[in-house]
Amino acid sequence: MQNEWNAVCQRLQQGLSKGQYDFYVATLSFVRFDGHCLTLGCRSKFHAEWLRTHLARQILEAAQERFPQLKECRFEIHSQVPHDELKEEEEEIRERPDGQLTFLDIGQPVRSVFNPRFTFDQFVVGHSNHFAYATCMAVAAQRGFHHQSVYLMADPGLGKSHLTHAVGNLLTREAPSMRVRYVTAEQFTNEMVAALRRDRIEDFKKTYRDGCDILLLEKVEFFSGKRKIQDELIYTLDELLDRGRRIICTGKTSPKDIPKLNRELRSRLSGLLVAPIDRPDFETRKKIVRRKAAYDNVHLPAEVVEFLADRITTDVRQLESCLVGLMAKSSILGIPISLSLAQEVTQTILEYLPTLDIAHVTSAVCRSFGLQEQDLRSKARSRRIAEARQLAMYLCRKYTKESLNGIARAFDRSHSTVIYAIKKVDQELGRKNSSLKKLLEHVSRRIETRCLNE
């Protein structure tokens, strides 16, 4: 595990300035990894707080390459440095103006904040994401596009961050003078709070209004309920839009559906061009698997590609995690990648799935629709039964480990009928004011509650 952490440090060293790496990362100590949480030792409370605010995301992403099942990084204080020495270092850091170079940073090249793997070339385009991809390309290239600002809307793990990083990578390479500001909603909030505490709010405003040609703002739902932050963001967006600056925001839901968002901010975000990203279809998922494997110079047998694409349908990150785990296990054990190895790895990573089966899902659906389970297997085609049957097939695909053929047999239907049902539910969920969406959430809660209680 220590060797794996050392490899993570080497990866972080490539993306940080020497000053940041030497002071904040090199001084971390590996404590433990329990399978989902990586615990790291810090020298002081200040050290831990600074990492949580500024580097937590980068550390997590770098560590996930070596620990595929990692979900969280935790920072604990494990210091052997004298208190007076730490206090002196912390005071020097606090008094340093934002953005000022340290002695260790002099002569060091500026490191990009963008993930080098997230480029337009590496983004797999399919029917579900073609519009979002083309829109981001147009905004980045500024090619006669009447909408300079975009709102990428998708569930987690479908490519929003990939596209925003791709825009940043493209502009960094082809327009280095362009002032690109990438920030998550949480980071924006933390920066504003810190600026208020230090009486530097005017510097904060200048950073985002005067020093920004294109703003890449992720996870806007984090602003929910933060009234003062929302007010400042409204002024910032207005200033940027009035100056013809470009904006790309991302969120997992429509602005109108984000709770506790004031009317003015909801109006500004709704005024952006909304580019939804849907779940990738089977063919697109196969392309994603092949592209990711090719990036790491790994050849996958066709049956493994089809198994992964068929098995993991909802989240591209989950698909990548299974692929990384498969390649890692093959490399560590020195065995070839095979279908049996892929089945073993996916069952380990998707450990919650085996606790559910088709009977769980059909039972929850039938209770919600007031039907009997035999109704779903019958030849009846009434609207109510057909809708319940399609929803049950969709949820079986989401929550169980059954293949499409297995689901088809359970409902006395064909493989193509299951594919049609899943596609139809996906299309219905993508419609505005979809009545099926609330019903799906209700049934899903029933299924997940049953899973937790067993």
Side-chain angles (χ1 to χ4, degrees):
M1 287 297 181
Q2 181 64 52
N3 291 337
E4 294 295 324
W5 170 244
N6 292 340
V8 174
C9 290
Q10 291 176 4
R11 174 71 176 82
L12 288 166
Q13 192 171 15
Q14 297 171 7
L16 299 173
S17 70
K18 191 174 187 302
Q20 282 186 325
Y21 177 79
D22 286 351
F23 188 84
Y24 296 109
V25 176
T27 52
L28 282 171
S29 60
F30 175 84
V31 178
R32 62 183 172 274
F33 176 62
D34 63 8
H36 295 288
C37 178
L38 174 63
T39 302
L40 302 171
C42 302
R43 307 196 318 162
S44 67
K45 182 179 179 182
F46 172 82
H47 186 195
E49 289 177 349
W50 197 96
L51 286 167
R52 291 189 191 104
T53 303
H54 297 91
L55 286 182
R57 179 181 59 81
Q58 286 175 261
I59 292 174
L60 178 63
E61 291 177 352
Q64 283 173 333
E65 295 180 10
R66 310 298 300 192
F67 304 92
Q69 294 176 267
L70 178 63
K71 303 295 183 185
E72 175 190 7
C73 285
R74 185 172 297 160
F75 302 99
E76 296 181 354
I77 300 171
H78 290 261
S79 177
Q80 296 180 348
V81 181
H83 176 74
D84 291 343
E85 181 181 335
L86 280 174
K87 188 173 181 181
E88 181 178 341
E89 289 180 350
E90 292 171 11
E91 288 300 322
E92 191 275 331
I93 295 274
R94 287 194 181 96
E95 293 172 3
R96 185 186 306 152
D98 290 344
Q100 179 178 319
L101 294 175
T102 68
F103 175 78
L104 293 172
D105 289 323
I106 295 176
Q108 296 299 317
V110 177
R111 302 287 185 177
S112 173
V113 298
F114 302 109
N115 189 328
R117 296 177 69 113
F118 290 171
T119 64
F120 284 113
D121 291 339
Q122 288 299 316
F123 189 83
V124 178
V125 183
H127 178 73
S128 62
N129 57 29
H130 181 267
F131 178 64
Y133 171 85
T135 300
C136 287
M137 282 285 286
V139 170
Q142 206 172 12
R143 51 166 92 120
F145 189 52
H146 68 279
H147 253 94
Q148 293 297 318
S149 301
V150 179
Y151 183 89
L152 297 176
M153 182 178 69
D155 289 334
L158 295 184
K160 302 187 299 295
S161 292
H162 190 137
L163 286 176
T164 52
H165 279 252
V167 170
N169 279 316
L170 179 66
L171 292 175
T172 300
R173 184 178 69 251
E174 298 188 0
S177 61
M178 181 74 67
R179 297 170 299 176
V180 183
R181 186 77 181 178
Y182 171 85
V183 67
T184 65
E186 183 178 6
Q187 289 168 339
F188 183 93
T189 299
N190 291 338
E191 287 179 24
M192 181 176 167
V193 170
L196 287 168
R197 287 175 177 171
R198 298 172 186 172
D199 196 24
R200 291 181 179 174
I201 192 63
E202 292 304 317
D203 292 339
F204 172 83
K205 292 178 180 179
K206 287 179 181 179
T207 297
Y208 283 94
R209 301 180 192 180
D210 299 331
C212 180
D213 294 316
I214 178 167
L215 175 64
L216 308 176
L217 178 61
E218 291 229 60
K219 302 178 182 177
V220 297
E221 58 273 3
F222 183 82
F223 292 123
S224 174
K226 299 173 176 61
R227 185 175 57 82
K228 290 185 178 180
I229 307 295
Q230 290 180 30
D231 290 341
E232 177 57 34
L233 180 60
I234 290 170
Y235 295 130
T236 297
L237 295 178
D238 284 346
E239 190 75 23
L240 294 175
L241 291 171
D242 289 345
R243 295 183 181 187
R245 305 290 196 253
R246 288 171 277 173
I247 301 170
I248 296 180
C249 295
T250 74
K252 62 183 180 181
T253 186
S254 171
K256 66 181 180 63
D257 295 327
I258 300 176
K260 298 181 182 179
L261 207 64
N262 71 43
R263 185 176 58 187
E264 290 79 6
L265 181 55
R266 182 175 283 113
S267 174
R268 302 304 191 281
L269 294 174
S270 298
L272 307 182
L273 176 64
V274 176
I277 303 175
D278 296 323
R279 294 174 180 175
D281 57 25
F282 179 64
E283 291 302 320
T284 303
R285 294 195 298 273
K286 286 201 298 184
K287 291 179 183 177
I288 291 171
V289 173
R290 291 195 186 100
R291 184 74 59 84
K292 299 294 182 184
Y295 187 91
D296 291 307
N297 296 316
V298 174
H299 172 72
L300 295 179
E303 61 181 2
V304 172
V305 173
E306 295 207 356
F307 171 77
L308 292 175
D310 181 63
R311 183 70 181 82
I312 306 159
T313 63
T314 58
D315 188 331
V316 175
R317 286 200 192 105
Q318 219 171 46
L319 190 62
E320 292 176 346
S321 179
C322 289
L323 180 57
V324 169
L326 176 61
M327 294 188 296
K329 193 161 189 176
S330 171
S331 175
I332 292 170
L333 298 180
I335 57 177
I337 292 176
S338 63
L339 180 59
S340 60
L341 184 63
Q343 291 170 335
E344 181 182 332
V345 169
T346 53
Q347 183 166 337
T348 299
I349 292 178
L350 307 180
E351 58 186 10
Y352 67 94
L353 291 176
T355 62
L356 290 171
D357 56 24
I358 290 178
H360 286 115
V361 175
T362 54
S363 175
V365 171
C366 287
R367 289 200 305 274
S368 298
F369 280 83
L371 298 172
Q372 299 297 317
E373 292 188 25
Q374 55 264 32
D375 293 331
L376 301 183
R377 292 189 294 271
S378 72
K379 302 297 182 182
R381 296 186 178 182
S382 68
R383 181 175 178 179
R384 186 154 159 265
I385 293 178
E387 186 178 62
R389 184 185 297 124
Q390 290 171 349
L391 186 61
M393 291 177 177
Y394 177 89
L395 291 170
C396 282
R397 191 64 179 143
K398 177 179 179 181
Y399 284 108
T400 76
K401 61 179 180 179
E402 289 291 341
S403 65
L404 292 174
N405 286 327
I407 296 171
R409 288 194 296 271
F411 289 90
D412 293 332
R413 294 298 192 277
S414 66
H415 177 273
S416 59
T417 301
V418 177
I419 294 177
Y420 173 78
I422 293 171
K423 184 177 180 180
K424 188 169 183 180
V425 172
D426 267 329
Q427 290 175 342
E428 178 63 26
L429 293 176
R431 291 175 51 194
K432 289 184 177 179
N433 303 319
S434 169
S435 59
L436 186 62
K437 190 170 185 179
K438 289 184 178 179
L439 181 59
L440 175 68
E441 292 172 351
H442 171 72
V443 179
S444 294
R445 281 195 296 272
R446 275 190 164 177
I447 294 171
E448 289 164 6
T449 300
R450 173 79 176 268
C451 177
L452 291 172
N453 290 336
E454 294 193 350

